[in-house]
Amino acid sequence: MTDLNDLKQKFARFMVGRYGSDELNQALFGTVLVLIVISFFVRSHVFLVVELLLLVLAYGRMFSKNTARRFQENQRFLDVRFRALERWRKIRERLKDGRKYKIFKCPNCGQKLRIPRGHGKIRVRCRKCGHEFEGRS
Ligand SMILES: [Zn+2]
């Protein structure tokens, strides 16, 4: 007779020396969930294949005994994720800036000039060559 506690113990024994979960695996499982939701709307076998591959990869990593290698993979993933988030943050910042400022290009020298918006028709003086021109901010 195997009851639930027995199964739990068996699983715990099975997991000894194995890698377990990390951020990369959470991301893999998260991606599978997103794909499952998408596949409700878009019927395609491609999703099923990708889902299966990701699941095999995630469980393979989880039960792996090469913990050093899995740790390295996770570190690389965290690194890539951090850089992607940083890039995304900068893009959002630039978009926010874009609403507050207008970029003018000096007709004389081509220098880009950042002018706050909302002042109507203004005279812009190029800080590089001193050329003055009119613009609408
Ligand atoms: Zn200029």
Side-chain angles (χ1 to χ4, degrees):
M1 272 291 282
T2 54
D3 59 13
L4 200 62
N5 266 335
D6 220 37
L7 273 176
K8 268 187 194 164
Q9 272 185 10
K10 267 189 184 153
F11 186 69
R13 227 173 297 141
F14 173 73
M15 285 305 287
V16 169
R18 293 177 197 269
Y19 184 64
S21 196
D22 61 7
E23 287 90 348
L24 176 52
N25 267 3
Q26 282 162 18
L28 289 173
F29 284 123
T31 307
V32 169
L33 276 181
V34 171
L35 287 177
I36 288 171
V37 171
I38 293 174
S39 62
F40 281 131
F41 303 100
V42 187
R43 291 242 164 256
S44 167
H45 291 301
V46 176
F47 285 109
L48 193 69
V49 172
V50 175
E51 280 160 26
L52 279 173
L53 280 175
L54 290 178
L55 280 177
V56 167
L57 189 64
Y59 278 111
R61 293 188 73 250
M62 211 171 183
F63 300 144
S64 168
K65 288 188 170 176
N66 191 349
T67 53
R69 183 80 183 272
R70 301 290 89 80
F71 180 78
Q72 268 179 16
E73 286 167 2
N74 192 48
Q75 288 304 308
R76 234 175 310 162
F77 165 71
L78 291 178
D79 200 43
V80 168
R81 188 177 69 173
F82 176 76
R83 266 179 291 169
L85 286 175
E86 273 299 289
R87 205 171 303 154
W88 173 236
R89 195 181 59 77
K90 276 183 189 147
I91 289 171
R92 271 175 51 197
E93 228 162 60
R94 214 171 300 146
L95 283 175
K96 234 165 70 189
D97 259 21
R99 284 195 292 271
K100 268 191 276 176
Y101 298 96
K102 189 171 178 180
I103 307 295
F104 287 98
K105 204 170 169 186
C106 172
N108 190 43
C109 71
Q111 172 69 38
K112 279 182 180 165
L113 304 159
R114 203 174 66 154
I115 309 294
R117 284 185 187 277
H119 294 287
K121 209 171 167 190
I122 49 155
R123 281 198 75 75
V124 180
R125 191 182 150 83
C126 174
R127 62 182 152 81
K128 195 176 171 194
C129 71
H131 180 74
E132 278 192 29
F133 59 97
E134 280 195 349
R136 183 163 283 280
S137 70

